[in-house]
Amino acid sequence: RLNEGRSSTKPVLIESLMAADACLVLLPCWGLTDAPLTLSTLASHLRGRGLSAKAFDFNVQLYHLLSEERRWWDIGFGLDVWERPSFVERFWTENLPVLDSLLDDVLAEEPRWAGFSMFVSNRGLTERFAARLKERDPGVKVVFGCPEVGYIQDLAGYAAAHPFVDHFVVGEGEELLVRLARGEVSDRILVNETRVRDLDSLPDQDF
C-alpha cells in the first residue's frame, strides 16, 4: 500500500513497509576466504517467496573494524580459540561498543525475525549477540540454525537454558524459515529430515 492523501505526485511508502521480515546474521569466526553461502542462500530464498530479507556478514565487518583483533581470524592460530569461553568473554567485553553498533544496524531494519547461522566456531559469540538483541527488542523472534544446532546432543535441554531463542532449525532451513515467517509452523524445535534434491530449484545466491 502507498500512503494516500499526499499532495506530492511521488508515492510515499508507509514506514512499516520498510521493515525487513527477516535479518540473517553471521558472527565470527568464519573463514575470510570462503563466502558465507548460508546467508546468501537463505536471503535469496526468502526474497523468492515474497519476503524481505537483509543479510549481515558481521564476520568480515568485525575483521575490518577491529584491527587489533585480526590475528584471531588467522587459521594458523586455529579457529578453536573462538570456542573457549574465556576468549569469547574477553572479546565480547572489550569490543562491546562496536558489537552494539552492529546490533543497532540490525534493529534499525525493524525485523520480525532474526536468524543466526551457528557453527562451532561462532557459537559463543552468537549466543551473546542474540541474547542482547532479545533484551533490547523482545518482539523480535530469534532463530538458531546451521550445522551446530544439529550437533547439540541435548537440544531440548539447551533450548531450556537459552530462553531468548524462539526457534531452533535442524537440517536445511530454507523452507522452514519461510513457513515460520508466514506463521505456518510454531514448534520451538523444527526438524527438516528432507534435503533439496534439485539444486536448480534454488534461486541464485544474493546478499
Side-chain angles (χ1 to χ4, degrees):
R1 284 173 41 194
L2 299 176
N3 194 357
E4 301 175 353
R6 298 275 185 172
S7 59
S8 171
T9 58
K10 294 183 179 180
V12 179
L13 288 174
I14 293 177
E15 184 177 356
S16 63
L17 291 184
M18 301 302 289
D21 288 306
C23 286
L24 306 173
V25 180
L26 176 68
L27 288 153
C29 185
W30 181 257
L32 296 172
T33 58
D34 299 319
L37 299 181
T38 300
L39 291 186
S40 60
T41 299
L42 288 173
S44 61
H45 193 78
L46 287 170
R47 293 172 190 141
R49 294 306 184 91
L51 299 165
S52 58
K54 180 71 178 288
F56 291 91
D57 185 357
F58 290 152
N59 175 61
V60 167
Q61 198 165 344
L62 284 168
Y63 174 82
H64 290 293
L65 289 173
L66 304 175
S67 58
E68 295 182 359
E69 300 278 8
R70 287 180 185 172
R71 65 186 182 277
W72 304 117
W73 274 263
D74 186 346
I75 198 168
F77 281 97
L79 296 183
D80 60 333
V81 67
W82 293 88
E83 301 172 39
R84 302 173 189 170
S86 59
F87 173 84
V88 174
E89 170 68 24
R90 195 276 307 165
F91 185 94
W92 176 264
T93 302
E94 294 183 7
N95 299 299
L96 187 55
V98 177
L99 289 160
D100 264 339
S101 71
L102 299 183
L103 181 52
D104 290 339
D105 292 342
V106 175
L107 293 178
E109 298 293 327
E110 300 181 4
R112 295 190 298 121
W113 300 85
F116 291 86
S117 295
M118 193 166 73
F119 301 88
V120 65
S121 58
N122 76 350
R123 176 170 165 174
L125 199 59
T126 296
E127 291 169 347
R128 288 173 177 265
F129 193 92
R132 195 167 183 85
L133 182 150
K134 193 71 169 181
E135 178 181 323
R136 289 183 54 183
D137 191 344
V140 178
K141 298 293 186 181
V142 172
V143 184
F144 276 10
C146 281
E148 182 63 11
V149 174
Y151 288 124
I152 297 175
Q153 293 185 349
D154 181 11
L155 187 53
Y158 178 86
H162 298 79
F164 56 87
V165 184
D166 296 283
H167 300 279
F168 298 86
V169 175
V170 179
E172 295 181 358
E174 287 84 357
E175 278 303 309
L176 282 179
L177 197 53
V178 169
R179 295 181 66 193
L180 270 175
R182 291 176 173 173
E184 297 173 359
V185 291
S186 59
D187 293 343
R188 193 170 182 209
I189 297 177
L190 297 162
V191 180
N192 184 2
E193 298 180 351
T194 63
R195 308 189 70 173
V196 176
R197 299 294 183 183
D198 180 12
L199 296 182
D200 291 334
S201 67
L202 297 177
D204 293 337
Q205 293 172 348
D206 178 14
F207 283 95

